[in-house]
Amino acid sequence: MLYYLLLCTDKLTFGAGTKLTVTPKDQNPTGPQLNITVIKTKNNNKAAVCLASDFYSSSKNLILTSEGKDLLKANMENAALSLTKKLYSFAGVKEINSMKELTCNVDNKTVSYKENIESTPSTINDLTKINFLSLTVNGLRVLLAKCVAFNLLMTARATIF
C-alpha cells in the first residue's frame, strides 16, 4: 500500500518560494576591487577575465565592455563567499577575438585594460635572443662553479703539503 502511495503522489509546489539572505550586523558595505586580465585559451585564442573581489553584497551586476560594446553581463548572485574574510569574490570570463581596450564595471566602479603589444615577445627573433641569453647565463654559472672548485683544491693542496 505504501509503495502505491509513493508512486501516485506528484511533486507539490506552493508558490514561488522564499529567498532568505542572512547578513551579519558588523559588516559595512564595501565596493569591489576590480582587476582585468587577458589569458590565452587552449585554442590560442584570448579570453578576458574580470575579477571582482572583496565586496560585501552579492546582489550586483558585472559588465565587461570592449570599445563601447557589451561583451558580458553577469549577475553576481552566485559569488563565492570567503569564510575567513566574510567577503565575496566573482570572476567573469569571456572569449574575445581582438580588442584594443577592455572595461569592467561593477556598481559604478570601473577599471580599464589596454593591450600592450611591445611587452610580449611574439617574434622568433625575440625568443631566440631570450634563449641565447639564458644559455649564456647558465654557461657563466658553470664556469664560476669550476673556478670555485679549482681554488678550493689548490688551497687544500697548499695547506696539506
Side-chain angles (χ1 to χ4, degrees):
M1 180 74 173
L2 180 65
Y3 180 72
Y4 178 74
L5 288 175
L6 290 175
L7 289 177
C8 292
T9 59
D10 291 330
K11 180 179 168 183
L12 300 176
T13 305
F14 299 101
T18 303
K19 182 177 180 178
L20 176 66
T21 304
V22 179
T23 56
K25 284 186 178 181
D26 60 346
Q27 293 286 334
N28 292 327
T30 59
Q33 294 180 6
L34 298 176
N35 189 11
I36 297 179
T37 306
V38 176
I39 60 173
K40 277 192 175 180
T41 62
K42 291 180 182 178
N43 313 4
N44 287 331
N45 294 336
K46 292 182 181 180
V49 179
C50 179
L51 175 65
S53 61
D54 298 338
F55 58 93
Y56 179 64
S57 174
S58 66
S59 59
K60 300 178 186 301
N61 290 322
L62 180 135
I63 301 171
L64 182 65
T65 60
S66 174
E67 300 169 1
K69 296 178 184 175
D70 289 345
L71 297 177
L72 175 70
K73 288 183 180 180
N75 188 353
M76 297 173 16
E77 264 185 17
N78 296 328
L81 175 65
S82 170
L83 296 177
T84 56
K85 295 181 184 178
K86 304 228 185 313
L87 295 172
Y88 290 94
S89 296
F90 185 80
V93 181
K94 178 68 177 176
E95 191 168 324
I96 55 176
N97 295 330
S98 65
M99 55 86 194
K100 294 179 182 174
E101 183 175 349
L102 292 171
T103 305
C104 183
N105 184 0
V106 175
D107 281 352
N108 297 325
K109 187 171 183 180
T110 304
V111 66
S112 295
Y113 173 86
K114 288 186 181 181
E115 187 175 27
N116 189 358
I117 298 173
E118 292 111 18
S119 67
T120 58
S122 58
T123 63
I124 296 174
N125 291 335
D126 290 341
L127 294 175
T128 305
K129 187 176 180 180
I130 290 171
N131 287 338
F132 175 73
L133 291 175
S134 176
L135 186 62
T136 304
V137 168
N138 285 333
L140 290 174
R141 286 180 183 167
V142 168
L143 184 63
L144 177 66
K146 284 184 176 184
C147 289
V148 169
F150 181 75
N151 285 335
L152 287 175
L153 287 174
M154 290 298 120
T155 303
R157 181 178 168 206
T159 56
I160 293 174
F161 299 111

